[in-house]
Amino acid sequence: MSIFQGLSAFPITPADASGRIDTTVLARLLMRIAEAGADSIGLLGSTGAYAFLTREERRRAVETAMDTVGGKIPVIVGVGAIRTNDAVALARDAKAAGADGLLLAPISYTPLFDDEVFEHFAAVANAGQMPLCIYNNPSTTKFTFRPALISRLSKIANIEAVKMPLPSGGDFGSELASLRSITGPAFRIGYSGDWGGAPSLLAGGDTWYSVVAGLLPSQALALTRAAQAGDTMAVERMDAAFGPLWALFKEFGSFRVMYVIAKVLNLCDVDPPRPVLPLSDEVRQRVAAALDRLNDGFSN
């Protein structure tokens, strides 16, 4: 069974102002996800602030994860870096620590050509020697994976999945059919953008790469399982309960909102890495109200 299917939960990486990770708190967040029964953990994804952390701290995060939940739930580690040799080193660190898979985004200051991205991914996949997921995140990286490049990459050993942004117009079915026709049946196609997670699964997507599941894994898993079962009525009810959170994600960015959720739930009291600023007390009140709405929706 592929590690790139079902619900993949992406937690924040709690760290102080200097970027030093609080491994005790991180371990607690990871155990919460594992105990909820999610299908995998996306460690050091965008929500996990990987781009703000040094190689040493990223290594500490992976080692903490494997010490805490290794063997209990697959751990997929983000290894994006501007230089190919740095991404290769991060992939080797993840492998040495015992990670189960890799997630790679093409980070660059200079806009990249398709062939450059292809060579970058080939080098990291070869170094990691474990299943790798393409991270197609154009809103952050400013690079869009066109179908032809995804098809080329799917032929490289170890590259087994893609994490897609939500399609314009919400036509998951057409995009899934098109990508599967050029990648083959074993290649897994999933989506990020939490408000589109359930619709993507209902349409036949393999994976929901979920931000909110990093702190609210039980509720996200219930929504995932309902969508996988094709229970549209349950999906509509639960998705509506999540609605106020989705609205806040869209307004302020899920990265910022997740730090507020962590504080409201008393999971940890950390701020996002600068230059990202904490959200205001007024937004915190809105997040608390959204969480109350979520609890009400799941208790009925």
Side-chain angles (χ1 to χ4, degrees):
M1 188 170 93
S2 172
I3 62 172
F4 302 116
Q5 58 189 54
L7 177 67
S8 190
F10 284 70
I12 63 173
T13 306
D16 65 18
S18 69
R20 180 74 173 175
I21 294 172
D22 187 330
T23 56
T24 300
V25 174
L26 176 60
R28 187 162 66 240
L29 297 179
L30 298 175
M31 276 302 301
R32 201 162 180 264
I33 295 169
E35 289 172 352
D39 297 299
S40 67
I41 288 172
L43 186 73
L44 299 173
S46 296
T47 306
Y50 71 94
F52 296 90
L53 299 170
T54 64
R55 178 183 175 186
E56 177 187 357
E57 290 302 307
R58 291 168 75 165
R59 185 189 298 117
R60 289 181 68 232
V62 182
E63 290 170 349
T64 298
M66 302 318 298
D67 288 344
T68 306
V69 298
K72 299 180 178 71
I73 180 173
V75 177
I76 301 163
V77 178
V79 293
I82 290 180
R83 292 181 62 89
T84 297
N85 62 314
D86 289 336
V88 163
L90 290 163
R92 288 175 175 154
D93 288 347
K95 179 179 176 60
D100 300 284
L102 302 175
L103 177 68
L104 179 61
I107 307 170
S108 182
Y109 184 81
T110 300
L112 298 174
F113 296 128
D114 282 9
D115 285 347
E116 293 168 334
V117 170
F118 180 86
E119 295 296 336
H120 180 68
F121 272 70
V124 175
N126 182 62
Q129 289 296 306
M130 69 179 89
L132 183 148
C133 178
I134 301 162
Y135 191 179
N136 185 5
N137 187 15
S139 64
T140 298
T141 65
K142 310 306 177 188
F143 182 87
T144 300
F145 285 84
R146 292 177 292 185
L149 180 56
I150 294 173
S151 178
R152 285 179 67 197
L153 288 170
S154 73
K155 309 303 189 294
I156 293 178
N158 303 313
I159 297 183
E160 299 182 3
V162 64
K163 178 178 186 279
M164 296 288 291
L166 302 179
S168 58
D171 188 358
F172 294 99
S174 295
E175 183 169 85
L176 285 164
S178 175
L179 288 174
R180 283 175 176 149
S181 71
I182 58 174
T183 56
F187 191 79
R188 303 298 179 184
I189 303 166
Y191 288 87
S192 55
D194 273 14
W195 50 93
S200 75
L201 293 171
L202 283 170
D206 295 303
T207 324
W208 175 18
Y209 295 98
S210 173
V211 172
V212 80
L215 294 178
L216 298 167
S218 296
Q219 296 93 325
L221 185 65
L223 179 56
T224 298
R225 296 294 185 251
Q228 289 176 316
D231 188 345
T232 55
M233 290 185 63
V235 167
E236 289 175 4
R237 174 179 60 80
M238 287 186 271
D239 211 31
F242 270 114
L245 270 184
W246 299 161
L248 288 163
F249 278 13
K250 292 176 184 178
E251 184 175 354
F252 298 104
S254 59
F255 182 73
R256 295 178 180 86
V257 175
M258 284 285 279
Y259 282 86
V260 182
I261 293 174
K263 291 184 179 182
V264 171
L265 296 179
N266 294 314
L267 295 173
C268 59
D269 186 7
V270 295
D271 290 328
R274 298 291 296 267
V276 181
L277 295 175
L279 295 174
S280 67
D281 287 341
E282 183 270 333
V283 176
R284 178 170 178 158
Q285 293 172 7
R286 291 174 60 188
V287 171
L291 292 172
D292 287 342
R293 167 70 182 276
L294 182 66
N295 289 333
D296 290 343
F298 275 77
S299 62
N300 294 332

